[in-house]
Amino acid sequence: MSTTTTTDPRSRGKASGGEKLADWADGRLGIYSLAKANMRKIFPDHWSFMLGEVCMYSFLIIILTGVYLTLFFHPSMNEVEYHGSYVPLQGQLMSEAYRSTLNISFDVRGGLLIRQIHHWAALVFLAGMFVHMMRVFFTGAFRKPREVNWLFGFLLLVLGMFTGFTGYSLPDDLLSGTGIRFMEGAILSVPIVGTYISFFLFGGEFPGHDFVARFYSIHILLLPGIMLGLMVAHLILVFYHKHTQFAGPGKTNNNVVGMPLLPVYMAKAGGFFFLVFGVIAAISAIATINPIWAMGPYRPDQVSTGAQPDWYMGFSEGLIRVMPGWEINLWGHTLVLGVFVPLVIFPLVLAAIAVYPFIEAWVTGDKREHHILDRPRNAPTRTAFGVAWMTVYFVLLIGGGNDLWATHFHLSINAITWFVRIAFFVGPVIAFIVTKRICLGLQRRDKEKVLHGRESGIIKRLPHGEFIEVHEPLSQEALYTLTAHEQYRPAELGATVDENGVERKATGGQKLRAKLSKAYFGEESQIPKPTVEEYKEITSGHGHH
Amino acid sequence: MKKLSARRRHPLAALVVLLLALACTGGLYAAFAPASKAQADETAQSLTIEEGKKLYSVGCASCHGTDGQGTSDGPSLVGVGAAAVDFQVGTGRMPAQQPGAQIPRKKVVYSQAEIDQLAAYIASLGAGPAVPTEEKYGDEGADIAKGGELFRTNCAQCHNFTGKGGALTHGKFAPSLEGVDPKHIYEAMQTGPQNMPSFPDTTLSEQNKKDIIAYLNAVNGDETESPGGLELGGLGPVSEGLFAWIFGLGALIAVAVWVAARTAKAKKS
Amino acid sequence: MSSQDIPEENLPAEQDTTHGAVGVADEKNPFADPGLPPHEHRIQDIDERAAKRSERAVALLFTVSMLATIGFIVSYVAIPVDKSVYVFPLGHISALNFALGLTLGVALFAIGAGAVHWARTLMSDVEVADDRHPIEASPEVRAKVHADFRQGAKESALGRRKLIRNTLLGAMTLVPLSGVMLLRDLGPLPHNKLRHTLWSKGKLLVNMNTNQPLRASDVAVGSLTFAKPEGLEEHDEEFQNEIAKAALMIVRIQPDNIKDKRELEWSHEGIVAYSKICTHVGCPISLYEQQTHHVLCPCHQSTFDLSDGGRVIFGPAGHALPQLRIGVNDEGYLEALGDFEEPVGPAFWERG
């Protein structure tokens, strides 16, 4: 459709090969408009902004290595006799899945390496998602307009956990089989439908002949497919919203300061993929993970002590270990609370952190966009909640490994279990209070610094003999950075009588919200940041200090 | 026959001979030529027992009673057999240092000769399992893979897949089997020390025990290969998780800090 | 909760109004935003020799990567898959795994390090500010979209022609049911499969270790043995499913030490047979302490007292371990006197 005017830049013969190709693609895909918006897109520099990349790259590594593993793995539970190269299992009966995993480990050159990269990358992926989520949480990056992306990220974490769990179960070794047995027991505890779900999932009684094949398609197709879609959506939103940034000179809510995608971030982020892959490959060269040959094939009548899931399922293991064995038998039915209660608390623990952004948004009533990150100290209630949540999580992780803590620290397993039972309730409360205090203390220190300057370490003796430390006033950059955060005032219920004199009753929700708002932003929950007046009053008399 | 002669050299075997000899009448006894040798053995044996009794009264009697009948501080030793003594004293568990949830393995106090004397004395108090001879726990004729299956059925539940140990109730624990003398492992299976159940030959045959020991040597010996690299204690996902957090994510965060850090600026001159 | 609930004045003021104009460090507001600091040059920006050094470093890293990849290929070809090597402090490890992992790691890491070093030292490090634009559409666009939607909805007549709407809803609700139906054949119905095991009257207890029937005289006080029902062999098609329910744990306790009357009745001279499957979630429980007669589950630490009817004394299990009633036949072999009286393993809704 060219109009062959000499002013059309595309018709000039000077265009290089690359430009010609780009022109061709633009004519069909419209890449120029896309590139115009994105090629020089600005990304701010901060190490914690790269945690998400750690996750993305380890996910890609998992996909690459996983595809390789499917070339050799046989997802079958047929019983076969082993005659491969690992001597201590010669002649043993095992499933084909287990045998093929042994073959990958001992007979395929580099198979063991790829298996270990796959598994190490999975552990790093989940750990990375956890830390990434905590970074987003503690800096308030989940606020409008990023709530949806927070949920996408949360879903990725949950799906990642289950993808990991199904993958861990595939080799059909004694350890993972024990994990599956646990899962079956947990499903059986579900009232009314539990037994049916279990029979449908396992194709009959446990362990049956089907679960490896079924978990296989869930592990390699269903869950990763959804995750890939979510990850792309997550990334598109990151591009669309543009990255958040910390407060600092020149950085406002209306801009983003950093370096362009092309070339700096192309090189940094692209290079980071290779760095992540390189580190994980090196780890896989030096440290064993999941040595299934040492565990033996799964038999439902055999077990080993120290039966644990991978770390990301550890908190659910903790829940199930410390729960008292309650069981109710009524009208010929059994309600297995000892298993079912943990099964219910498990998603609740996760949901608690997932819904927090919406609760905070409701309490503040803030409908504006936020692109400047909070320092955790400047949002004491949120920070305290986050730490309390992490306390619950880590207390449960301790519970999940109680037998190993017992043997390695010479403690009683019963004592640890009781500790976890109590700490599950008390720990988060203490963590909440302590964290809030620490945040307020840091806020006071910031205020002190703004008003009185930085401690210089220089001690001066005054003519009348008094010693003082000289405080140096802060630079304007520092003053700005320390006072840039916003402070809310607590919401009030407002007049109980409206303009027409009609009594207006506050609803329960409004009352709760006023209460929460006071807890968030009341006098006890934040230190008013220094005002210009305070600053001037002090600095004008600075010489006398 | 080799088996028999090897047994005969053993102090406890001599005890069996002694008991047999006592059962015989004096006339029959005199008529046999080897009887004089038995007599010589018998004197040597009674000397050993005598020595053992002396050691016992000094080191053990305060808890186990003057004649091994047991007190509130220690169980009766009548009928526990030489194997139990060889295990308990040979691994340093006895003499115990202090009461607790469980008596741990310690530095061995007695020499092997003294342990043999003690064992002979305790064995003289009542019949019990004898100290096994080397061919019982040697690798020869053992089926490692069968041993693995037996280990996972009988042992792994407390001692972990490859014998790294594990926790029991109220501070008790199943110890690690790393670096434990195969003889002591054999004796432990046979006698069931402390809270460990016993696995007598009637239910776990001699061949079974040999297989188990061969399996342990293969998967938990000095030369055991860990193809993938660092074994991380062989404890499973907990230590792997810690490693992934500290070294995996730790290294990646260190790298991220470098990637995102500002490059050094030229000094203003 | 609409936004009207919160009085506007409780929201913090916009930054720009408290912080004065950007870049003006005026007397009025000492906390004003001073604006982006001026760009400072790196050594590489002003000293070509330093830049050259960086260039060489980057090139060196890329070269190292190439060498490492060659090393990877050489290792793959040259090192046998079963070769073991001692590396301090890793121990005896697979030479191939170590060589491949390290060369691959170095090859990848060097590419990344080179690219990042290049970006950090040679590419422009001038910080640029990019403006953000509100995500919300302008009121005009909003109004237009709403109007368009209403127009479209009106033209479809979905609101007016209720019959179409209702039947469409019905069809859409029903159609996924086909998918749900298809799941039915994933497995059989439970019936009473969870209630029964292979044990029945007269079945001998076969020692797992020796694969021989157990005699009463074989079982010593303080010993621990595992048993399976006679006739069940490892090669059987259904071995895994059956052993998952039928596995037994045999211990012998001095009859005076057995506290539970029924347990004593169901035992043979102190030999008791308990299910090996934990009543919590089904781990094979067998950490038996012969002095306390406690048995601990390695998975979740449920503890049962085998001298007191298998009662739960600690942990998350909800009910006692099922005991199998045993006796001795004429030849002195231990035999079952029936199936378990209650379902073994984890509890379930229909257990009752």
Side-chain angles (χ1 to χ4, degrees), chain A residues 24-90:
Chain A
W24 185 90
D26 183 52
R28 282 135 191 103
L29 306 169
I31 56 165
Y32 283 162
S33 352
L34 208 67
K36 181 176 166 256
N38 292 313
M39 199 186 270
R40 294 284 281 178
K41 197 159 188 88
I42 300 300
F43 280 95
D45 251 345
H46 193 273
W47 68 268
S48 70
F49 300 165
M50 311 207 73
L51 291 168
E53 283 181 45
V54 170
C55 308
M56 176 168 76
Y57 294 147
S58 41
F59 185 54
L60 291 180
I61 295 166
I62 294 169
I63 292 178
L64 285 174
T65 50
V67 169
Y68 180 83
L69 292 173
T70 60
L71 304 178
F72 300 96
F73 179 72
H74 302 177
S76 153
M77 292 179 81
N78 289 339
E79 291 282 311
V80 290
E81 226 171 80
Y82 181 68
H83 295 290
S85 39
Y86 184 66
V87 177
L89 287 170
Q90 284 288 349

Side-chain angles (χ1 to χ4, degrees), chain A residues 109 144 195 205 208 214 242-243 250 254 256 258 298 301 321 327 334 362 369 476 489 513 536, chain C residues 1 6 9 25 28 32-33 76 128 130-132 135-136 186 208 241 245 276 299 319 349-350 352:
Chain A
R109 282 184 282 178
K144 189 182 171 189
T195 322
E205 284 184 272
R214 289 178 182 178
K242 297 181 178 164
H243 211 284
N254 300 321
V256 51
Y298 181 59
D301 64 323
R321 285 187 180 201
E327 200 169 291
T334 303
W362 176 62
E369 287 185 17
Q476 204 200 343
R489 264 178 287 165
R513 180 167 166 189
K536 282 190 176 151
Chain C
M1 287 296 147
I6 290 271
E9 64 267 21
K28 270 189 204 151
D33 180 359
Y76 188 92
V128 196
D130 210 359
D131 286 340
R132 291 180 194 275
I135 289 167
E136 280 168 357
L186 278 174
M208 287 277 206
N241 288 4
K245 291 186 294 182
K276 195 186 182 181
C299 294
H319 58 270
W349 176 249
E350 296 85 355

Side-chain angles (χ1 to χ4, degrees), chain A residues 348-393:
Chain A
L348 289 183
V349 170
L350 292 172
I353 199 84
V355 301
Y356 177 83
F358 301 94
I359 293 171
E360 190 185 294
W362 176 62
V363 171
T364 59
D366 192 346
K367 299 276 190 278
R368 300 163 307 155
E369 287 185 17
H370 290 275
H371 303 291
I372 294 283
L373 296 172
D374 282 327
R375 295 169 87 197
R377 68 185 63 171
N378 290 331
T381 310
R382 176 203 298 152
T383 305
F385 176 83
V387 174
W389 183 82
M390 280 181 25
T391 307
V392 171
Y393 192 91

Side-chain angles (χ1 to χ4, degrees), chain A residues 42 81 93 106 109-110 112-113 116 144-146 178 181-182 185 188 191-192 195-196 199-200 203-209 214 240-244 249-250 252-259 263-264 267-268 271 274-275 277-279 281 284-286 298-305 317 320-321 323 325 327 329 332-334 336 339 362 364-369 371 402 413-414 417-418 450 476-477 479-480 483-484 486-491 510 513 530-532 535-536, chain C residues 1-3 5-6 9-16 19 24-25 27-37 72 76-77 79 81 90 93-94 96-98 100-102 104-105 108-109 111-113 115-116 119-120 123-136 183-190 193-194 208 234-235 237-241 243-245 247 276-277 280-284 286-287 298-301 314-319 346-352:
Chain A
I42 300 300
E81 226 171 80
L93 275 184
F106 290 106
R109 282 184 282 178
L112 179 59
L113 182 72
Q116 301 208 117
K144 189 182 171 189
R146 296 183 178 76
T178 308
R181 176 87 225 214
F182 155 70
L188 282 182
I192 305 168
T195 322
Y196 290 86
F199 270 69
F200 288 162
E205 284 184 272
F206 178 85
H209 303 281
R214 289 178 182 178
Y240 182 60
H241 291 142
K242 297 181 178 164
H243 211 284
T244 51
T252 70
N253 207 31
N254 300 321
N255 70 8
V256 51
V257 177
M259 286 180 231
V264 177
K268 278 193 176 182
F274 291 96
L275 292 171
F277 205 163
V279 166
S284 309
I286 59 173
Y298 181 59
R299 282 240 320 241
D301 64 323
Q302 294 177 345
V303 73
S304 163
T305 184
E317 180 77 4
I320 198 99
R321 285 187 180 201
M323 178 74 197
E327 200 169 291
N329 285 291
H333 289 290
T334 303
V336 199
V339 186
W362 176 62
T364 59
D366 192 346
K367 299 276 190 278
R368 300 163 307 155
E369 287 185 17
H371 303 291
N402 59 1
I413 213 166
N414 308 61
T417 303
W418 271 108
V450 168
Q476 204 200 343
E477 283 83 13
L479 284 179
Y480 171 72
T483 55
E486 304 182 328
Q487 288 190 321
Y488 293 89
R489 264 178 287 165
Q510 283 167 328
R513 180 167 166 189
T531 59
V532 174
Y535 182 78
K536 282 190 176 151
Chain C
M1 287 296 147
S2 65
S3 60
D5 293 340
I6 290 271
E9 64 267 21
N10 283 328
L11 291 178
E14 288 289 336
Q15 273 177 345
D16 293 351
H19 281 79
V24 186
E27 275 301 301
K28 270 189 204 151
N29 185 1
F31 301 156
D33 180 359
L36 272 182
F72 181 92
Y76 188 92
V77 177
I79 303 175
V81 70
L90 308 179
I93 58 174
S94 154
L96 185 63
N97 184 65
F98 188 61
L100 292 183
L102 275 194
L104 181 64
L108 292 163
F109 194 90
I111 293 179
V116 171
R120 280 166 45 84
M123 292 179 188
S124 163
D125 73 335
V126 179
E127 284 198 305
V128 196
D130 210 359
D131 286 340
R132 291 180 194 275
H133 306 287
I135 289 167
E136 280 168 357
L183 296 178
R184 166 61 191 87
D185 271 355
L186 278 174
L189 293 182
K193 289 201 188 84
L194 291 179
M208 287 277 206
E234 232 188 303
H235 287 271
E237 174 79 8
E238 294 300 310
F239 175 79
Q240 297 276 69
N241 288 4
I243 200 69
K245 291 186 294 182
K276 195 186 182 181
I277 309 301
H280 177 223
V281 287
C283 278
S286 46
L287 286 74
C299 294
H300 309 101
Q301 287 82 45
F314 188 78
H319 58 270
F348 48 96
W349 176 249
E350 296 85 355
R351 186 176 182 274

